PDB file of all heavy atoms in Angstrom:
ATOM      1  N   SER A 225      35.769  -9.390  23.543  1.00 90.00           N
ATOM      2  CA  SER A 225      34.708  -9.004  22.729  1.00 90.00           C
ATOM      3  C   SER A 225      33.720  -7.985  23.468  1.00 90.00           C
ATOM      4  O   SER A 225      33.202  -7.046  22.854  1.00 90.00           O
ATOM      5  CB  SER A 225      33.945 -10.207  22.304  1.00 90.00           C
ATOM      6  OG  SER A 225      32.894  -9.902  21.344  1.00 90.00           O
ATOM      7  N   ILE A 228      35.284  -4.455  23.213  1.00 92.00           N
ATOM      8  CA  ILE A 228      35.080  -3.819  21.951  1.00 92.00           C
ATOM      9  C   ILE A 228      33.690  -3.489  21.683  1.00 92.00           C
ATOM     10  O   ILE A 228      33.399  -2.323  21.172  1.00 92.00           O
ATOM     11  CB  ILE A 228      35.697  -4.748  20.889  1.00 92.00           C
ATOM     12  CG1 ILE A 228      37.255  -4.884  21.001  1.00 92.00           C
ATOM     13  CG2 ILE A 228      35.476  -4.185  19.444  1.00 92.00           C
ATOM     14  CD1 ILE A 228      38.008  -3.652  21.006  1.00 92.00           C
ATOM     15  N   GLU A 229      32.793  -4.343  22.046  1.00 89.00           N
ATOM     16  CA  GLU A 229      31.432  -3.990  21.841  1.00 89.00           C
ATOM     17  C   GLU A 229      30.873  -2.785  22.670  1.00 89.00           C
ATOM     18  O   GLU A 229      30.003  -2.132  22.243  1.00 89.00           O
ATOM     19  CB  GLU A 229      30.488  -5.320  22.090  1.00 89.00           C
ATOM     20  CG  GLU A 229      30.694  -6.347  20.993  1.00 89.00           C
ATOM     21  CD  GLU A 229      30.026  -7.680  21.331  1.00 89.00           C
ATOM     22  OE1 GLU A 229      29.288  -7.627  22.362  1.00 89.00           O
ATOM     23  OE2 GLU A 229      30.185  -8.626  20.602  1.00 89.00           O
ATOM     24  N   ARG A 230      31.470  -2.715  23.850  1.00 90.00           N
ATOM     25  CA  ARG A 230      31.132  -1.496  24.569  1.00 90.00           C
ATOM     26  C   ARG A 230      31.497  -0.191  23.886  1.00 90.00           C
ATOM     27  O   ARG A 230      30.742   0.779  23.875  1.00 90.00           O
ATOM     28  CB  ARG A 230      31.791  -1.565  25.974  1.00 90.00           C
ATOM     29  CG  ARG A 230      31.329  -0.438  26.814  1.00 90.00           C
ATOM     30  CD  ARG A 230      31.900  -0.418  28.190  1.00 90.00           C
ATOM     31  NE  ARG A 230      31.606   0.774  28.855  1.00 90.00           N
ATOM     32  CZ  ARG A 230      32.126   1.339  29.912  1.00 90.00           C
ATOM     33  NH1 ARG A 230      33.164   0.662  30.356  1.00 90.00           N
ATOM     34  NH2 ARG A 230      31.730   2.397  30.481  1.00 90.00           N
ATOM     35  N   ALA A 232      31.913  -0.005  20.681  1.00 90.00           N
ATOM     36  CA  ALA A 232      31.070   0.050  19.451  1.00 90.00           C
ATOM     37  C   ALA A 232      29.721   0.605  19.749  1.00 90.00           C
ATOM     38  O   ALA A 232      29.176   1.341  18.973  1.00 90.00           O
ATOM     39  CB  ALA A 232      31.005  -1.376  18.848  1.00 90.00           C
ATOM     40  N   ARG A 233      29.157   0.249  20.903  1.00 88.00           N
ATOM     41  CA  ARG A 233      27.791   0.783  21.241  1.00 88.00           C
ATOM     42  C   ARG A 233      27.831   2.257  21.368  1.00 88.00           C
ATOM     43  O   ARG A 233      26.921   2.959  21.012  1.00 88.00           O
ATOM     44  CB  ARG A 233      27.359   0.172  22.589  1.00 88.00           C
ATOM     45  CG  ARG A 233      26.787  -1.238  22.506  1.00 88.00           C
ATOM     46  CD  ARG A 233      26.050  -1.660  23.803  1.00 88.00           C
ATOM     47  NE  ARG A 233      26.854  -1.537  24.948  1.00 88.00           N
ATOM     48  CZ  ARG A 233      27.567  -2.616  25.428  1.00 88.00           C
ATOM     49  NH1 ARG A 233      27.594  -3.723  24.778  1.00 88.00           N
ATOM     50  NH2 ARG A 233      28.259  -2.473  26.545  1.00 88.00           N
ATOM     51  N   ALA A 234      28.948   2.759  21.958  1.00 89.00           N
ATOM     52  CA  ALA A 234      29.132   4.235  22.177  1.00 89.00           C
ATOM     53  C   ALA A 234      29.240   4.911  20.766  1.00 89.00           C
ATOM     54  O   ALA A 234      28.655   5.932  20.507  1.00 89.00           O
ATOM     55  CB  ALA A 234      30.345   4.570  22.989  1.00 89.00           C
ATOM     56  N   MET A 236      28.133   3.791  17.904  1.00 84.00           N
ATOM     57  CA  MET A 236      26.806   3.697  17.166  1.00 84.00           C
ATOM     58  C   MET A 236      25.678   4.385  17.863  1.00 84.00           C
ATOM     59  O   MET A 236      24.567   4.369  17.454  1.00 84.00           O
ATOM     60  CB  MET A 236      26.507   2.166  16.972  1.00 84.00           C
ATOM     61  CG  MET A 236      27.474   1.447  16.198  1.00 84.00           C
ATOM     62  SD  MET A 236      27.603   2.075  14.478  1.00 84.00           S
ATOM     63  CE  MET A 236      26.021   1.493  13.823  1.00 84.00           C
ATOM     64  N   HIS A 238      24.220   3.377  20.560  1.00 69.00           N
ATOM     65  CA  HIS A 238      23.302   2.460  21.107  1.00 69.00           C
ATOM     66  C   HIS A 238      23.521   2.408  22.682  1.00 69.00           C
ATOM     67  O   HIS A 238      23.976   1.352  23.171  1.00 69.00           O
ATOM     68  CB  HIS A 238      23.453   1.069  20.484  1.00 69.00           C
ATOM     69  CG  HIS A 238      23.153   1.061  18.991  1.00 69.00           C
ATOM     70  ND1 HIS A 238      23.561   0.113  18.209  1.00 69.00           N
ATOM     71  CD2 HIS A 238      22.567   2.002  18.234  1.00 69.00           C
ATOM     72  CE1 HIS A 238      23.160   0.349  16.977  1.00 69.00           C
ATOM     73  NE2 HIS A 238      22.539   1.485  16.959  1.00 69.00           N
ATOM     74  N   ILE A 239      23.286   3.530  23.246  1.00 67.00           N
ATOM     75  CA  ILE A 239      23.572   3.582  24.740  1.00 67.00           C
ATOM     76  C   ILE A 239      22.401   3.187  25.510  1.00 67.00           C
ATOM     77  O   ILE A 239      21.242   3.773  25.437  1.00 67.00           O
ATOM     78  CB  ILE A 239      23.954   5.000  25.105  1.00 67.00           C
ATOM     79  CG1 ILE A 239      25.054   5.670  24.163  1.00 67.00           C
ATOM     80  CG2 ILE A 239      24.458   5.167  26.570  1.00 67.00           C
ATOM     81  CD1 ILE A 239      26.331   4.819  24.235  1.00 67.00           C
ATOM     82  N   ARG A 332      33.487 -14.797  17.362  1.00 71.00           N
ATOM     83  CA  ARG A 332      32.944 -13.966  18.318  1.00 71.00           C
ATOM     84  C   ARG A 332      31.756 -14.524  19.107  1.00 71.00           C
ATOM     85  O   ARG A 332      30.993 -15.288  18.459  1.00 71.00           O
ATOM     86  CB  ARG A 332      32.473 -12.654  17.664  1.00 71.00           C
ATOM     87  CG  ARG A 332      33.499 -11.755  16.946  1.00 71.00           C
ATOM     88  CD  ARG A 332      32.957 -10.530  16.299  1.00 71.00           C
ATOM     89  NE  ARG A 332      33.838 -10.064  15.281  1.00 71.00           N
ATOM     90  CZ  ARG A 332      33.472  -9.266  14.366  1.00 71.00           C
ATOM     91  NH1 ARG A 332      32.290  -8.784  14.386  1.00 71.00           N
ATOM     92  NH2 ARG A 332      34.378  -8.805  13.426  1.00 71.00           N
ATOM     93  N   GLU A 334      29.062 -13.257  20.007  1.00 68.00           N
ATOM     94  CA  GLU A 334      27.834 -12.818  19.293  1.00 68.00           C
ATOM     95  C   GLU A 334      28.247 -12.226  17.911  1.00 68.00           C
ATOM     96  O   GLU A 334      28.412 -11.071  17.719  1.00 68.00           O
ATOM     97  CB  GLU A 334      27.059 -11.753  20.073  1.00 68.00           C
ATOM     98  CG  GLU A 334      26.654 -12.207  21.454  1.00 68.00           C
ATOM     99  CD  GLU A 334      25.940 -11.105  22.246  1.00 68.00           C
ATOM    100  OE1 GLU A 334      25.446 -10.168  21.646  1.00 68.00           O
ATOM    101  OE2 GLU A 334      25.857 -11.263  23.445  1.00 68.00           O
ATOM    102  N   PRO A 335      28.395 -13.128  16.936  1.00 57.00           N
ATOM    103  CA  PRO A 335      29.052 -12.710  15.644  1.00 57.00           C
ATOM    104  C   PRO A 335      28.294 -11.582  14.920  1.00 57.00           C
ATOM    105  O   PRO A 335      28.842 -10.766  14.286  1.00 57.00           O
ATOM    106  CB  PRO A 335      28.957 -13.954  14.788  1.00 57.00           C
ATOM    107  CG  PRO A 335      28.827 -15.094  15.750  1.00 57.00           C
ATOM    108  CD  PRO A 335      28.120 -14.592  16.935  1.00 57.00           C
ATOM    109  N   GLY A 336      26.942 -11.477  15.028  1.00 56.00           N
ATOM    110  CA  GLY A 336      26.253 -10.445  14.321  1.00 56.00           C
ATOM    111  C   GLY A 336      25.875  -9.234  15.213  1.00 56.00           C
ATOM    112  O   GLY A 336      25.054  -8.460  14.784  1.00 56.00           O
ATOM    113  N   ALA A 337      26.445  -9.105  16.352  1.00 55.00           N
ATOM    114  CA  ALA A 337      26.022  -7.987  17.275  1.00 55.00           C
ATOM    115  C   ALA A 337      26.302  -6.661  16.608  1.00 55.00           C
ATOM    116  O   ALA A 337      25.479  -5.770  16.719  1.00 55.00           O
ATOM    117  CB  ALA A 337      26.726  -8.164  18.586  1.00 55.00           C
ATOM    118  N   TYR A 338      27.520  -6.455  16.073  1.00 57.00           N
ATOM    119  CA  TYR A 338      27.838  -5.226  15.409  1.00 57.00           C
ATOM    120  C   TYR A 338      28.493  -5.468  14.078  1.00 57.00           C
ATOM    121  O   TYR A 338      29.240  -6.478  13.903  1.00 57.00           O
ATOM    122  CB  TYR A 338      28.837  -4.379  16.380  1.00 57.00           C
ATOM    123  CG  TYR A 338      28.085  -3.855  17.577  1.00 57.00           C
ATOM    124  CD1 TYR A 338      28.058  -4.505  18.700  1.00 57.00           C
ATOM    125  CD2 TYR A 338      27.293  -2.692  17.453  1.00 57.00           C
ATOM    126  CE1 TYR A 338      27.361  -4.031  19.848  1.00 57.00           C
ATOM    127  CE2 TYR A 338      26.603  -2.133  18.492  1.00 57.00           C
ATOM    128  CZ  TYR A 338      26.654  -2.884  19.659  1.00 57.00           C
ATOM    129  OH  TYR A 338      25.963  -2.401  20.709  1.00 57.00           O
ATOM    130  N   ALA A 339      28.294  -4.528  13.128  1.00 61.00           N
ATOM    131  CA  ALA A 339      28.917  -4.671  11.840  1.00 61.00           C
ATOM    132  C   ALA A 339      30.370  -4.762  11.930  1.00 61.00           C
ATOM    133  O   ALA A 339      31.044  -4.153  12.762  1.00 61.00           O
ATOM    134  CB  ALA A 339      28.491  -3.407  10.929  1.00 61.00           C
ATOM    135  N   GLY A 340      30.944  -5.441  10.936  1.00 78.00           N
ATOM    136  CA  GLY A 340      32.415  -5.695  11.027  1.00 78.00           C
ATOM    137  C   GLY A 340      33.202  -4.354  10.935  1.00 78.00           C
ATOM    138  O   GLY A 340      34.172  -4.248  11.706  1.00 78.00           O
ATOM    139  N   ALA A 341      32.750  -3.377  10.142  1.00 85.00           N
ATOM    140  CA  ALA A 341      33.448  -2.126  10.047  1.00 85.00           C
ATOM    141  C   ALA A 341      33.448  -1.437  11.441  1.00 85.00           C
ATOM    142  O   ALA A 341      34.498  -0.819  11.800  1.00 85.00           O
ATOM    143  CB  ALA A 341      32.852  -1.268   8.976  1.00 85.00           C
ATOM    144  N   THR A 342      32.364  -1.441  12.155  1.00 87.00           N
ATOM    145  CA  THR A 342      32.258  -0.769  13.425  1.00 87.00           C
ATOM    146  C   THR A 342      33.175  -1.431  14.450  1.00 87.00           C
ATOM    147  O   THR A 342      33.886  -0.841  15.275  1.00 87.00           O
ATOM    148  CB  THR A 342      30.828  -0.756  13.960  1.00 87.00           C
ATOM    149  OG1 THR A 342      30.021  -0.165  12.946  1.00 87.00           O
ATOM    150  CG2 THR A 342      30.735   0.015  15.329  1.00 87.00           C
ATOM    151  N   TYR A 343      33.248  -2.821  14.350  1.00 87.00           N
ATOM    152  CA  TYR A 343      34.025  -3.558  15.245  1.00 87.00           C
ATOM    153  C   TYR A 343      35.599  -3.240  15.063  1.00 87.00           C
ATOM    154  O   TYR A 343      36.373  -3.001  15.868  1.00 87.00           O
ATOM    155  CB  TYR A 343      33.814  -5.064  15.026  1.00 87.00           C
ATOM    156  CG  TYR A 343      34.133  -5.948  16.107  1.00 87.00           C
ATOM    157  CD1 TYR A 343      33.112  -6.319  17.043  1.00 87.00           C
ATOM    158  CD2 TYR A 343      35.383  -6.492  16.299  1.00 87.00           C
ATOM    159  CE1 TYR A 343      33.322  -7.166  18.073  1.00 87.00           C
ATOM    160  CE2 TYR A 343      35.645  -7.372  17.363  1.00 87.00           C
ATOM    161  CZ  TYR A 343      34.610  -7.749  18.272  1.00 87.00           C
ATOM    162  OH  TYR A 343      34.913  -8.559  19.340  1.00 87.00           O
ATOM    163  N   ARG A 423      32.034  -7.751   2.374  1.00 77.00           N
ATOM    164  CA  ARG A 423      31.194  -8.319   3.435  1.00 77.00           C
ATOM    165  C   ARG A 423      29.777  -8.572   2.971  1.00 77.00           C
ATOM    166  O   ARG A 423      29.133  -9.575   3.234  1.00 77.00           O
ATOM    167  CB  ARG A 423      31.211  -7.443   4.707  1.00 77.00           C
ATOM    168  CG  ARG A 423      30.440  -7.979   5.938  1.00 77.00           C
ATOM    169  CD  ARG A 423      30.676  -7.185   7.109  1.00 77.00           C
ATOM    170  NE  ARG A 423      30.003  -7.560   8.282  1.00 77.00           N
ATOM    171  CZ  ARG A 423      28.685  -7.392   8.539  1.00 77.00           C
ATOM    172  NH1 ARG A 423      27.964  -6.684   7.775  1.00 77.00           N
ATOM    173  NH2 ARG A 423      28.103  -7.909   9.604  1.00 77.00           N
TER     174      ARG A 423
END
Side-chain angles (χ1 to χ4, degrees):
S225 187
I228 296 300
E229 287 173 7
R230 183 177 175 202
R233 281 196 300 272
M236 298 297 291
H238 297 164
I239 309 297
R332 298 179 200 164
E334 298 179 19
Y338 287 94
T342 304
Y343 206 92
R423 186 173 180 275

